Every structure is written in C-alpha cells, then in structure tokens.
Amino acid sequence: MNTLNDTQISKSYAIGIDIGGTSLKCGVVNELGEILFSFLVSLKEAKTEEEIINLIVKAITQCTDQLNEPIVGIGIGFPGLIENDVIVGGGVNLPGFEQLPLGKILNDRTGHNIVIDNDANLMGLAEVIYGAAKDSEDAIFLTIGTGIGGAIMINKKLFGGYKNRGAELGHTVIQQNGIQCACGGRGCLESYASVTALIEYYKTQNKAADEHIDGKTIIEKYLAGEDHAINAMLHHFDYLAAGIVNCVNIFSPQKVIIGGGISEAGQFYIDELTHRVKKTAIPVSFSNTKIVAASLGNKAGLLGACANAFQKFKKTEYASKL
C-alpha cells in the first residue's frame, strides 16, 4: 500500500483503475496529481469476466471506504478498444470483455460516474497533465514495449478519431509490403521498432544469442560496444525515428513523449532519436517540438485514468487549473 503524507490535498478526488493482463492497480488521486493511496489486485485467479468485474467493484469500495470523502468519478484504463465506455474488444489475456458496456455495469453497481479509455491513451494523458509534457497543449505519446502503443493529445485532451477508433500510431505503415504485423497489416511501425522487433533483429545479427535475451541486455551490450548490439540499436533508432517523423509532420506537437521501459535507458536514447528526427522531419514542423522521455513510470496509467475522470466530470474547476 502506497500512502501520501504531509501534502497539500485538494478538495476533489477521483478513483483510478489501471487494468492489466494479470493485475489491476487502483488508487485515489486528487486533482493536483497526488496519489493518496494505491494498491494492486491480482487477476490471476479470476477465470471469468464476472469475477474480474467483482474485483473491480470490490477495489472501488475499498477506495471509497478508506477515503471517506465524495469523489468526482472513476476513471478506468483498459487494454483494448473502447467506445463510449463500452469495451468493444482487445482485452489481451482477459476472459470475455467483448462488446461489454462496462461503464454502465459499474455505474449501476457503484452509483459513481465512470469513464473508460484505452490504457496507452491514458498514460499519454497523464504525461501531459502531470508529467513530462505538462507545459504543453499538444503532444504525441509512444510507449515502446512488446508492441507500440500511442496517444494523441490536442489542447490537453485525448483525440481518438471517430468513435475512438484511431490514434493507432504503432500501426502507421513505414515499409510498404513489409513485415507481417499482429494487426493483420504489413510494414507497421510496431513490427520494426518495438522491443520485440529489436530482440528479433538482434538474433538475426547474432546467431549465438541467448534465446531469452531481452531489450535491457541488448542496450547493455550496445553501451559496451558489442557490434551485434550496435547494429540492432541503429536499426531500431532509424525505424522508430521514421515513425516519429510521420507524427511530427502531421501534428507538429510540442512534445513527443517516449514511454515504456526502454525509454529509461538513458539520455542517449532520446538524443539518438532527436538527431534522426531533426535531420529528416520538415524543419518548420519540428521547430517547436521536443522529444522527451516519459517521467511518470508505472504511475502513469493510474494518474491518466483519474485525469480523464476530472476532465469529464469536473470540467469547469479542473480546466481552470490547467
């Protein structure tokens, strides 16, 4: 259990829930972005959709009982496609959650305002409201991991396209008729610049590589000067930069925020991307853009879920603080 003591607490609170494949993180946040308390709930023993919903309701009750104050609402981050608080699908490793009106179900069971969005979107929103881009109105967020998640923020609000079906930045095509992607397309940014792609490319360079090698080890080898790792990282930087150039030329954001564990590799990682993007993006589009590492780490999902709740359910007072 994490707690926050001796801090200036604002008068408005929201509950945030960040749902992953094996656990959910739940907590109470005030509108200054201070986490009053948070906790993890394992989902490993939950075998059905209903069991997971029961755990969510129980976590909400635990929060409201401990806070003993009114809340503005509840924000939820979910790993899938969400439209108007309905889980359309895509909840990897979770049973069910297809065409499920989860927002209405939770509202009926708890009586609280509910707003749900994609987890990567909310990580990006958190960085704009509370983190690496809090001084910016317009930003792009890319989280580099097993795949590549993305989020677009315009005027400090999420932009997801019609019916929230867009902002799939990891599936912009950077190589026509390229590598097959899990989405069904070919040549997606994710297929060339994710950590999964980095590992696969490294193995093609080093036939003797450990089968279970990970991105962190490749970076360590890169920094130590290993030729195979250098080749793999240069390939990674080139393709990720190409994807960022597309984002810059289309949106000209003030910040491009790079999240995921690999973004914590060091400033060299951001510098390598900046060098390549600056060299190939349209100069006027990049002139006000800065590439930065995400700053909130594993708190981003929880904070973004709460920021979304504040924006939707406490518009007037919250907007005046931004």
Side-chain angles (χ1 to χ4, degrees):
M1 175 79 69
N2 299 320
T3 60
L4 184 70
N5 298 317
D6 302 322
T7 188
Q8 178 64 42
I9 304 299
S10 85
K11 294 180 180 179
S12 295
Y13 309 94
I15 292 173
I17 299 177
D18 184 18
I19 300 174
T22 59
S23 66
L24 68 82
K25 186 172 187 178
C26 186
V28 172
V29 174
N30 67 28
E31 60 187 311
L32 301 178
E34 296 166 331
I35 301 174
L36 277 67
F37 57 86
S38 66
F39 52 90
L40 285 174
V41 176
S42 174
L43 300 179
K44 290 181 180 179
E45 300 303 317
K47 304 301 182 186
T48 67
E49 178 182 276
E50 181 61 25
E51 287 176 351
I52 293 174
I53 293 172
N54 288 338
L55 289 173
I56 294 171
V57 172
K58 185 177 178 182
I60 291 169
T61 302
Q62 185 175 337
C63 285
T64 53
D65 287 350
Q66 185 168 341
L67 178 64
N68 199 29
E69 294 278 355
I71 61 168
V72 168
I74 299 168
I76 297 175
F78 192 89
L81 177 61
I82 293 91
E83 178 189 334
N84 294 327
D85 304 319
V86 174
I87 310 298
V88 178
V92 180
N93 299 324
L94 297 172
F97 293 95
E98 298 283 338
Q99 299 297 333
L100 181 75
L102 183 60
K104 183 179 187 306
I105 291 169
L106 294 176
N107 173 260
D108 289 345
R109 291 184 59 174
T110 69
H112 293 296
N113 296 323
I114 308 288
V115 60
I116 308 175
D117 211 315
N118 173 266
D119 52 353
N121 284 353
L122 296 179
M123 290 167 67
L125 181 63
E127 293 290 347
V128 167
I129 302 298
Y130 301 122
K134 63 184 177 183
D135 57 343
S136 303
E137 299 290 324
D138 302 322
I140 295 292
F141 175 76
L142 292 169
T143 178
I144 316 301
T146 304
I148 293 182
I152 301 166
M153 277 70 61
I154 299 174
N155 293 328
K156 284 190 177 288
K157 294 184 178 179
L158 287 168
F159 174 79
Y162 183 61
K163 294 189 175 182
N164 209 29
R165 303 294 178 99
E168 293 288 350
L169 302 180
H171 299 288
T172 53
V173 176
I174 58 172
Q175 182 67 61
Q176 180 66 16
N177 294 322
I179 299 171
Q180 181 77 45
C181 181
C183 75
R186 285 186 174 275
C188 294
L189 177 63
E190 177 175 296
S191 299
Y192 288 85
S194 64
V195 174
T196 304
L198 169 65
I199 293 168
E200 290 305 312
Y201 189 81
Y202 177 82
K203 288 178 179 178
T204 68
Q205 299 297 297
N206 182 3
K207 303 297 185 183
D210 184 337
E211 182 182 348
H212 302 293
I213 194 166
D214 57 17
K216 182 179 179 182
T217 304
I218 293 172
I219 286 176
E220 289 171 353
K221 291 178 179 293
Y222 167 81
L223 294 174
E226 186 201 85
D227 287 343
H228 302 307
I230 289 173
N231 289 338
M233 287 301 296
L234 292 179
H235 180 269
H236 172 79
F237 287 134
D238 286 345
Y239 276 101
L240 182 53
I244 295 172
V245 166
N246 288 337
C247 293
V248 169
N249 289 350
I250 295 169
F251 296 102
S252 189
Q254 292 161 284
K255 295 283 175 66
V256 175
I257 310 151
I258 307 298
I262 200 166
S263 70
E264 300 171 6
Q267 186 59 37
F268 80 90
Y269 189 86
I270 300 300
D271 290 345
E272 290 286 347
L273 293 172
T274 301
H275 170 71
R276 287 165 171 76
V277 174
K278 185 176 182 178
K279 190 164 62 173
T280 53
I282 297 172
V284 69
S285 298
F286 189 65
S287 59
N288 295 303
T289 300
K290 187 175 182 181
I291 301 173
V292 298
S295 65
L296 297 175
N298 62 11
K299 299 184 295 183
L302 178 64
L303 288 170
C306 288
N308 204 25
F310 284 126
Q311 284 192 344
K312 182 163 185 179
F313 304 124
K314 198 172 189 297
K315 293 179 181 177
T316 304
E317 184 177 337
Y318 186 57
S320 69
K321 295 178 181 294
L322 300 181

